[in-house]
Amino acid sequence: MAYETILTETRDAVTLITLNRPKALNALNSQVLEELIDAFATFEADDSQRCAVLTGSGDKAFAAGADIKEMSEKPAADFYLQDFFARWTSEIVKKVRKPWIAAVNGFALGGGCELAMMADFILASENAKFGQPEIKLGVAPGMGGSQRLTRAIGKSKSMEMCLTGRMMGAEEAERANLVARVVAHDELLDEAMKTAATIAGMPPMAAIANKEMVNAAFETGLDQGIIFERRLFQILTASEDKKEGMEAFIEKREGNWKGR
Ligand code: DAK
């Protein structure tokens, strides 16, 4: 698929995907959605790729939301009948088993904040601003924002954000556990690529298992989550990479991963 609204490149085992509508602050229209789904599917299918980074082009925005101009024309029946936004969750969140990072370089509002929260974790530049301002448009989050934001930062803060539509700066977002780390604006992409390269250098099966078990903490009760973790741990003990990892440690050398 030829992309018009995003850019993709691979650097060794890391795929970089850049939202590329800077004049519209990378607003997410349906073309972006389709292209992103394709780019993530390509990343997932490529055995040479181990981790991805998603960021926004330009200096101002990761993504300033779903494209209000496009959506304002859409009848409510279409939103409902097309189960609008469902494909983001099914194709990007559920089907992408490899790790990916959102590198938030500016506004991450509405759908932009929701997209960032679909990532395995968020690295933010000092200029990042997060918010769910949909209430000001007479609507509400529709891509998981009320759920993921609440799980990340708790009810009180999430409720305040959704009800007032106010933006949260990077420092507050780090304090509130919405983001893993804040870095200087100019260093964000380098830092995100470096972090992704570290993850890409890990045993791939173990990376997927680690991702699955952390995600299980959000989807199951504690007892079930702990059993799930233990089972994945037990499966990994049978992997070739576990044998290699332990031998490499004992022999004081880097592991040579087979991904099995
Ligand atoms: N969609 C489309 N275009 C956008 C946009 C967006 N979300 N955000 C910004 N732009 C466009 C602006 O219209 C402007 O385009 P031109 O006028 O130059 O053609 C350009 O990007 C630059 O924006 P500004 O001139 O506004 O830049 P400022 O630095 O002054 O302000 C801002 C930056 C991020 C504070 C401001 O652009 C802003 O407030 N943007 C909207 C943020 C927002 O509300 N995001 C949440 C989107 S809502 C539904 C309808 C909508 C939704 C769901 C359902 N139905 C009809 C049922 C919404 C879901 C969302 O995600």
Side-chain angles (χ1 to χ4, degrees):
M1 182 179 200
Y3 302 135
E4 292 174 351
T5 63
I6 63 171
L7 304 168
T8 61
E9 63 175 278
T10 56
R11 296 188 198 167
D12 298 322
V14 176
T15 297
L16 173 62
I17 305 172
T18 307
L19 302 164
N20 192 31
R21 299 182 70 211
K23 285 191 186 138
L25 302 185
N26 300 321
L28 307 165
N29 62 16
S30 31
Q31 187 178 0
V32 178
L33 167 65
E34 291 308 319
E35 293 184 5
L36 264 186
I37 287 172
D38 189 81
F40 272 102
T42 302
F43 159 66
E44 183 68 9
D46 184 343
D47 283 344
S48 73
Q49 295 303 291
R50 306 286 197 210
C51 188
V53 171
L54 176 67
T55 194
S57 68
D59 239 16
K60 273 181 78 173
F62 174 76
D67 191 312
I68 300 169
K69 292 167 190 168
E70 182 186 71
M71 285 203 307
S72 64
E73 305 292 325
K74 207 174 171 68
D78 286 357
F79 280 96
Y80 184 65
L81 294 171
Q82 295 165 6
D83 204 3
F84 204 69
F85 294 145
R87 263 161 60 71
W88 290 78
T89 300
S90 58
E91 301 294 320
I92 296 180
V93 181
K94 297 287 179 203
K95 285 198 188 157
V96 179
R97 298 180 76 204
K98 296 175 188 173
W100 66 280
I101 302 167
V104 174
N105 53 317
F107 293 114
L109 303 176
C113 186
E114 293 171 301
L115 177 60
M117 290 190 292
M118 290 178 199
D120 295 314
F121 59 91
I122 299 173
L123 293 181
S125 97
E126 285 163 341
N127 297 357
K129 286 196 188 317
F130 299 88
Q132 297 291 160
E134 290 91 339
I135 192 165
K136 295 181 186 173
L137 302 168
V139 285
M143 290 187 240
S146 63
Q147 306 305 298
R148 290 196 179 92
L149 189 65
T150 306
R151 280 166 159 79
I153 70 176
K155 175 182 165 182
S156 195
K157 223 171 177 52
S158 173
M159 196 69 96
E160 188 216 1
M161 300 283 298
C162 291
L163 288 176
T164 66
R166 83 167 172 93
M167 293 184 214
M168 185 193 273
E171 200 183 303
E172 184 182 1
E174 186 178 30
R175 265 201 323 272
N177 290 327
L178 180 58
V179 309
R181 255 182 319 128
V182 178
V183 299
H185 187 66
D186 293 344
E187 290 166 18
L188 177 68
L189 192 58
D190 279 353
E191 191 55 38
M193 293 302 282
K194 218 162 45 176
T195 306
T198 300
I199 295 168
M202 297 296 171
M205 212 162 94
I208 292 172
N210 273 272
K211 169 170 170 163
E212 282 185 341
M213 59 177 74
V214 173
N215 280 336
F218 290 96
E219 287 155 12
T220 60
L222 183 61
D223 285 349
Q224 281 174 306
I226 286 173
I227 291 170
F228 182 70
E229 177 195 271
R230 200 160 62 233
R231 294 288 174 257
L232 283 183
F233 164 79
Q234 289 161 351
I235 288 168
L236 289 174
T237 63
S239 69
E240 292 179 38
D241 282 345
K242 169 257 171 189
K243 191 166 175 288
E244 166 63 8
M246 296 195 177
E247 278 174 15
F249 174 79
I250 291 164
E251 292 164 12
K252 299 189 189 301
R253 59 173 175 81
E254 292 296 312
N256 181 15
W257 311 123
K258 296 204 169 64
R260 307 187 61 78

